Amino acid sequence: MSTITNVQTYDLRFPTSSTLSGSDAMNKDPDYSSAYVVVSTDADDGLSGTGFVFTIGRGNDVVVAAIDSLAHTLVGRNVENLLDDMRAAWDMFVHDSQLRWLGPEKGVEHMAIGAVLSALWDLKAKRAGMPLWRLLAHMDPEELVATLDFRYLTDVLTPDEAVDMLRRGKDGLEEREAQLLKLGYPGYSTAAGWLGYSDEKMMAIAREETEVKGFKQIKLKVGQNLDDDLRRLGLARETIGPDVKLAVDANQVWDVPQAIDWINHFHDFDLEWVEEPTCPDDVLGHAAIQKAIDPIAVATGEQMQNRIMYKQYLQAGSFKVMQIDATRVAGPQEIVMEYLLANKFGVRVCPHAGGVGLCEAVCHFAMFDYLAVSGKWDDRVIEYVDNQHEYFVHPTEIRNGRYVAPTAPGSGVDMKLEAAQRYLYQG
Amino acid sequence: MSTITNVQTYDLRFPTSSTLSGSDAMNKDPDYSSAYVVVSTDADDGLSGTGFVFTIGRGNDVVVAAIDSLAHTLVGRNVENLLDDMRAAWDMFVHDSQLRWLGPEKGVEHMAIGAVLSALWDLKAKRAGMPLWRLLAHMDPEELVATLDFRYLTDVLTPDEAVDMLRRGKDGLEEREAQLLKLGYPGYSTAAGWLGYSDEKMMAIAREETEVKGFKQIKLKVGQNLDDDLRRLGLARETIGPDVKLAVDANQVWDVPQAIDWINHFHDFDLEWVEEPTCPDDVLGHAAIQKAIDPIAVATGEQMQNRIMYKQYLQAGSFKVMQIDATRVAGPQEIVMEYLLANKFGVRVCPHAGGVGLCEAVCHFAMFDYLAVSGKWDDRVIEYVDNQHEYFVHPTEIRNGRYVAPTAPGSGVDMKLEAAQRYLYQG
């Protein structure tokens, strides 16, 4: 029997805008940031639960304020009761009848709830002595499904179907786990692609990422100037050759008609996908774009607000690549649901990652999916950027272009706070 | 030449949960609240701009924190430059390249931006010596359209079309303005409908609202228990007779299949609309419901996050009644855009209102629409509930079931802070 004694937040902002790493057509000068939370207990094990929301600078304080405002609900609660019934923890926050007015289930409040629920799952995994991917993959299907919320989803997926899906996922799990531990999960690199880079810098990094680091896919930012895009895509394709995959990312700069026009200039580059062609809220707009640019695939998800939007993207055929994010939605339960939905519709998931802990966090869900849901990884990749990993206790490790499976207990997002503290925002 | 000197926020929470006024199938015990903001300048006129976000209690502090975090962008700025180029003010907040990560354009951050932009429009109207509805209706079409953001909308509405629409709206404006000032704008009452009320209380209030106060429409909350709903609808219809309109509101409690089943029991009551049958994010779900329950009309909007969602509801035929809200989106510019979109698709707008200033705020936009956009009010009504009006300097006045057109300069939401201050939240 133990009790939650403290919920401590940190507003961490890394001055990445000074290097133009992270620059794209929409995000000119991001300062990669983390609204970071640590949940402490009075248990003898000394374990704490860690969660965070990734932002790109201004407004990180608002997310911290939202997490702080949830803290009083947690402090004083029995830890075992919480961790043994994560569905109740979800309901306590996501379905709080007053808080839901602030969303419902979207934006700052939803991401803050995600950080808190992620911290609880982190603690649960640490107590189980397992990395989160392994805890999720080995949970009994009924037990995992009992933590999930099917509200607004039963027109496409019921709890019984989800249990069946996870039961089927158990076939061959042990072999896949051995493969995962041996080979790691495929990654791809965005390092070369930032719009702020010269052609020479882009090509040099593209060569380094593929020939030296072993990535089998790279991604370039596009959408600021069509001539520049065509020139850069030509140079990139020439640099990496025909066998390395090439994706592009427009970061929501286009309206629907403009997206269709622009992307239809890209048919000669054998693109793996076009990411975020327009507003992430536009289910119908993406469906129109996907239809008009076929066979190029639309990809999106890093700013998808919740599972109800994913449901519609899948229903409408609005994308062919689903890009989940670790800190946009309400924590592991919603992310697991996203994977179940994708699997129901046979759509591949290639997670978004990048700054301050996103790589560390999201790989657990991709690995869970490989082990226990889709069982596939040949058509899947996790984004990778070499950003702020040195501030993590168990930083993401890339070997031959693949994510090494983390083995430390927990969700992998504990930071070295003594090293990061010089980036504590002073207001 | 004057300068913004201060941006002061207030966390006001009225203990409405104690009376069950405001209770429905989703919101069991709301405490109607306001994240209220006053923008002060050093101008000799002594005028300040007022804005707010309505919430239902917990989390109001998070909205206040978000507004506070925007304040430093405003303090020290030249007032005339801001008010003369509201599009630049919009861009400064809505398109801040770092802040947009928190939405984009949804949830806490978007509503906070709405409060600040509303306060600027309030000041602009006060300086012009006009109520906001009149300022908007008499603006030159090009000038008004220049304040609007068509990003992500050009597949359905272009600036040129919007100018043409507003030019056509000038025909007969003077006569409509005279009618508005004489008769007021039609309202409807939700007072009888809260789920916490007994049948007797519901019927007594329904009689009072229609026979005494003159409302031509009432609305009941539904969705907790089908038998209760059928009994209450029968009693209500009996009480108000066949000529008063009757709407129902489910406050998002149903999944799509359940909504269709449940609502299809309601065909005998000659309903004006069924409001919020499911999640406001579910464009496709609402379209499926609207198709399956025809001729009953679907209505929704009070929690619609932004104009891109409205665009899709209109494209997909997801509703027949659009219910804009005054504090859910980014202020007057986005609300004007919502009216233009509705008019393009020929869908009627019946605004949401109710607690702490929503009635005071939203009527300006309905009146603007009547004067300058649709020119219609026969098929339109603004929601009315008698809540917290006594705390406003110019409270909403209802005469014969209609909203009296406000004549005081501004957007009508200045509060009597000395009276309200006992509801300042102490944390």
Side-chain angles (χ1 to χ4, degrees):
Chain A
M1 288 283 291
S2 56
T3 301
I4 291 180
T5 52
N6 192 29
V7 176
Q8 183 70 46
T9 50
Y10 302 84
D11 182 346
L12 295 166
R13 306 195 193 187
F14 297 82
T16 49
S17 59
S18 61
T19 65
L20 292 186
S21 160
S23 59
D24 59 53
M26 186 65 87
N27 310 297
K28 307 293 181 201
D29 54 355
D31 289 316
Y32 282 6
S33 301
S34 176
Y36 185 80
V37 59
V38 178
V39 176
S40 307
T41 82
D42 59 7
D44 291 337
D45 59 18
L47 298 172
S48 56
T50 302
F52 74 103
V53 175
F54 172 74
T55 81
I56 59 172
R58 284 184 290 282
N60 202 49
D61 50 319
V62 180
V63 183
V64 166
I67 298 173
D68 283 339
S69 153
L70 298 170
H72 70 97
T73 308
L74 276 182
V75 173
R77 283 195 186 259
N78 178 284
V79 182
E80 291 74 25
N81 287 351
L82 272 173
L83 300 187
D84 290 347
D85 188 356
M86 286 301 299
R87 175 59 201 265
W90 166 281
D91 287 342
M92 181 168 71
F93 293 114
V94 175
H95 294 310
D96 178 290
S97 69
Q98 295 188 348
L99 283 181
R100 80 184 297 283
W101 192 269
L102 305 186
E105 300 189 44
K106 60 182 64 76
V108 166
E109 190 65 26
H110 199 53
M111 294 192 283
I113 289 171
V116 170
L117 290 173
S118 294
L120 294 178
W121 278 96
D122 179 61
L123 184 57
K124 190 176 167 89
K126 285 170 178 165
R127 285 189 166 199
M130 284 191 260
L132 182 60
W133 61 263
R134 190 163 200 276
L135 175 75
L136 292 171
H138 285 272
M139 271 177 87
D140 178 71
E142 281 84 0
E143 191 191 346
L144 181 54
V145 168
T147 72
L148 306 180
D149 183 2
F150 290 80
R151 173 165 264 187
Y152 303 137
L153 300 180
T154 58
D155 47 338
V156 306
L157 186 69
T158 64
D160 287 347
E161 278 180 272
V163 168
D164 286 347
M165 192 185 286
L166 288 165
R167 278 206 194 111
R168 288 194 302 274
K170 295 288 187 196
D171 288 347
L173 187 152
E174 304 299 333
E175 300 94 283
R176 286 193 297 279
E177 187 164 348
Q179 284 293 96
L180 173 67
L181 288 166
K182 185 175 155 194
L183 299 175
Y185 194 102
Y188 76 92
S189 167
T190 312
W194 309 111
L195 281 185
Y197 289 177
S198 68
D199 290 350
E200 291 66 32
K201 185 167 182 179
M202 180 270 286
M203 289 187 288
I205 300 176
R207 207 170 290 120
E208 165 87 10
E209 295 295 297
T210 55
E211 294 175 11
V212 180
K213 297 194 184 154
F215 288 106
K216 301 283 187 291
Q217 177 177 328
I218 68 165
K219 189 170 76 183
L220 297 191
K221 302 291 182 175
V222 294
Q224 210 163 55
N225 177 293
L226 180 57
D227 290 334
D228 288 346
D229 288 351
L230 295 173
R231 187 190 69 253
R232 283 157 45 84
L233 285 174
L235 291 172
R237 182 47 88 197
E238 210 177 290
T239 305
I240 62 177
D243 296 334
V244 173
K245 291 175 179 171
L246 177 61
V248 298
D249 184 355
N251 291 88
Q252 311 172 21
V253 289
W254 299 313
D255 278 25
V256 174
Q258 192 189 13
I260 292 170
D261 282 353
W262 199 298
I263 299 167
N264 274 328
H265 288 91
F266 289 166
H267 283 283
D268 292 340
F269 300 104
D270 188 21
L271 294 183
E272 188 64 6
W273 68 65
V274 175
E275 185 170 327
E276 292 203 306
T278 190
C279 175
D281 304 346
D282 201 343
V283 178
L284 302 177
H286 280 86
I289 294 167
Q290 179 60 81
K291 200 172 167 197
I293 67 167
D294 198 73
I296 296 176
V298 169
T300 193
E302 71 184 71
Q303 296 191 3
M304 196 79 78
Q305 65 201 35
N306 60 35
R307 66 201 184 283
I308 298 118
M309 295 301 286
Y310 277 115
K311 176 184 81 167
Q312 293 175 83
Y313 269 74
L314 292 163
Q315 288 176 300
S318 302
F319 55 18
K320 293 183 180 176
V321 179
M322 176 161 153
Q323 300 181 300
I324 65 150
D325 180 87
T327 78
R328 178 65 57 181
V329 299
Q333 288 147 285
E334 189 157 3
I335 297 171
V336 165
M337 186 63 93
E338 291 169 0
Y339 269 106
L340 298 179
L341 288 169
N343 197 52
K344 168 79 187 269
F345 285 87
V347 166
R348 62 192 172 115
V349 181
C350 297
H352 169 251
V356 207
L358 289 180
C359 298
E360 280 74 10
V362 88
C363 69
H364 289 266
F365 301 100
M367 292 171 186
F368 154 73
D369 172 69
Y370 172 59
L371 262 60
V373 184
S374 77
K376 295 181 193 170
W377 65 8
D378 286 346
D379 61 349
R380 286 147 206 250
V381 274
I382 307 171
E383 186 167 20
Y384 179 78
V385 191
D386 190 7
N387 272 332
Q388 295 96 33
H389 297 291
E390 63 273 30
Y391 297 102
F392 286 81
V393 177
H394 302 289
T396 291
E397 199 184 333
I398 297 289
R399 211 177 289 157
N400 199 24
R402 300 171 77 103
Y403 274 71
V404 174
T407 53
S411 66
V413 302
D414 286 325
M415 292 186 82
K416 296 176 182 167
L417 280 172
E418 65 289 358
Q421 72 179 355
R422 69 189 177 111
Y423 297 118
L424 269 178
Y425 183 63
Q426 306 298 339
Chain B
M1 289 283 290
S2 57
T3 301
I4 291 181
T5 52
N6 192 27
V7 176
Q8 182 71 45
T9 50
Y10 303 84
D11 182 346
L12 295 165
R13 306 194 193 188
F14 296 82
T16 48
S17 60
S18 61
T19 64
L20 293 187
S21 160
S23 58
D24 60 53
M26 187 64 89
N27 310 296
K28 306 295 178 197
D29 54 354
D31 289 316
Y32 282 6
S33 300
S34 176
Y36 184 80
V37 59
V38 179
V39 177
S40 306
T41 82
D42 60 7
D44 291 339
D45 58 19
L47 297 173
S48 56
T50 302
F52 73 104
V53 175
F54 172 75
T55 81
I56 59 172
R58 284 183 291 281
N60 203 50
D61 50 320
V62 181
V63 184
V64 166
I67 299 172
D68 283 339
S69 154
L70 298 171
H72 70 95
T73 308
L74 277 181
V75 172
R77 280 193 188 262
N78 178 284
V79 182
E80 292 74 24
N81 287 352
L82 272 173
L83 301 186
D84 289 349
D85 187 356
M86 286 301 299
R87 176 58 203 265
W90 166 281
D91 286 342
M92 181 167 69
F93 293 113
V94 175
H95 294 309
D96 179 289
S97 69
Q98 295 187 349
L99 283 180
R100 81 184 295 284
W101 192 269
L102 304 186
E105 300 189 45
K106 59 182 66 75
V108 166
E109 191 64 27
H110 199 53
M111 294 193 283
I113 289 171
V116 169
L117 290 174
S118 294
L120 294 179
W121 277 96
D122 178 63
L123 184 57
K124 187 175 168 88
K126 284 171 178 165
R127 285 189 166 199
M130 284 191 257
L132 182 60
W133 61 263
R134 190 161 201 276
L135 175 74
L136 291 171
H138 286 272
M139 273 175 86
D140 178 71
E142 281 84 359
E143 190 191 347
L144 181 54
V145 167
T147 72
L148 306 180
D149 183 2
F150 290 79
R151 171 165 263 186
Y152 304 137
L153 300 180
T154 57
D155 47 337
V156 306
L157 186 70
T158 64
D160 286 348
E161 279 182 272
V163 168
D164 286 348
M165 193 186 286
L166 288 165
R167 279 208 193 110
R168 288 194 303 273
K170 294 288 185 197
D171 288 347
L173 188 152
E174 304 298 334
E175 301 94 282
R176 285 194 297 279
E177 185 163 350
Q179 285 293 97
L180 173 68
L181 288 165
K182 185 174 156 198
L183 299 174
Y185 194 100
Y188 77 93
S189 167
T190 312
W194 308 111
L195 281 186
Y197 289 177
S198 69
D199 290 350
E200 291 67 32
K201 185 167 182 180
M202 179 272 285
M203 288 187 288
I205 299 176
R207 206 169 290 121
E208 165 88 11
E209 296 295 297
T210 53
E211 293 174 12
V212 180
K213 297 193 185 155
F215 288 105
K216 300 285 186 290
Q217 178 178 327
I218 68 165
K219 189 170 76 185
L220 297 192
K221 301 292 183 175
V222 296
Q224 211 163 56
N225 177 293
L226 180 57
D227 290 335
D228 287 347
D229 288 351
L230 295 172
R231 187 188 71 254
R232 283 156 47 84
L233 285 174
L235 292 171
R237 181 48 85 199
E238 210 179 292
T239 305
I240 62 177
D243 296 334
V244 174
K245 291 174 180 171
L246 177 62
V248 298
D249 184 356
N251 292 88
Q252 312 172 19
V253 288
W254 300 313
D255 279 24
V256 173
Q258 191 189 14
I260 292 170
D261 281 354
W262 199 299
I263 299 167
N264 274 327
H265 287 92
F266 290 167
H267 283 284
D268 292 342
F269 301 104
D270 189 20
L271 295 183
E272 188 66 5
W273 68 65
V274 176
E275 184 170 329
E276 292 203 306
T278 190
C279 175
D281 304 347
D282 202 344
V283 178
L284 301 176
H286 280 86
I289 295 168
Q290 179 60 80
K291 197 170 169 197
I293 67 168
D294 198 73
I296 296 176
V298 169
T300 193
E302 72 185 68
Q303 296 191 4
M304 196 80 78
Q305 65 202 34
N306 59 36
R307 66 202 183 283
I308 298 119
M309 293 301 286
Y310 277 115
K311 176 184 81 167
Q312 293 175 83
Y313 270 75
L314 292 163
Q315 287 176 299
S318 303
F319 56 18
K320 292 183 181 176
V321 180
M322 176 161 153
Q323 300 182 298
I324 65 151
D325 179 87
T327 79
R328 178 65 57 181
V329 299
Q333 288 148 283
E334 188 157 5
I335 298 171
V336 165
M337 186 62 93
E338 292 170 358
Y339 270 106
L340 299 179
L341 287 170
N343 196 53
K344 167 79 187 268
F345 284 87
V347 166
R348 63 194 172 112
V349 182
C350 296
H352 169 252
V356 205
L358 290 181
C359 299
E360 281 73 10
V362 88
C363 68
H364 288 266
F365 301 100
M367 293 171 186
F368 154 73
D369 172 69
Y370 173 59
L371 262 60
V373 185
S374 77
K376 294 182 193 170
W377 65 10
D378 286 345
D379 61 351
R380 285 148 206 251
V381 274
I382 307 170
E383 186 167 20
Y384 179 78
V385 191
D386 191 7
N387 272 331
Q388 297 97 30
H389 298 292
E390 64 273 30
Y391 298 101
F392 286 82
V393 177
H394 302 289
T396 291
E397 199 183 334
I398 298 289
R399 210 177 290 157
N400 199 23
R402 299 171 78 102
Y403 274 71
V404 175
T407 52
S411 66
V413 301
D414 285 325
M415 292 187 81
K416 297 175 181 168
L417 280 172
E418 65 290 357
Q421 72 178 356
R422 68 188 177 112
Y423 296 117
L424 268 178
Y425 183 63
Q426 306 299 337

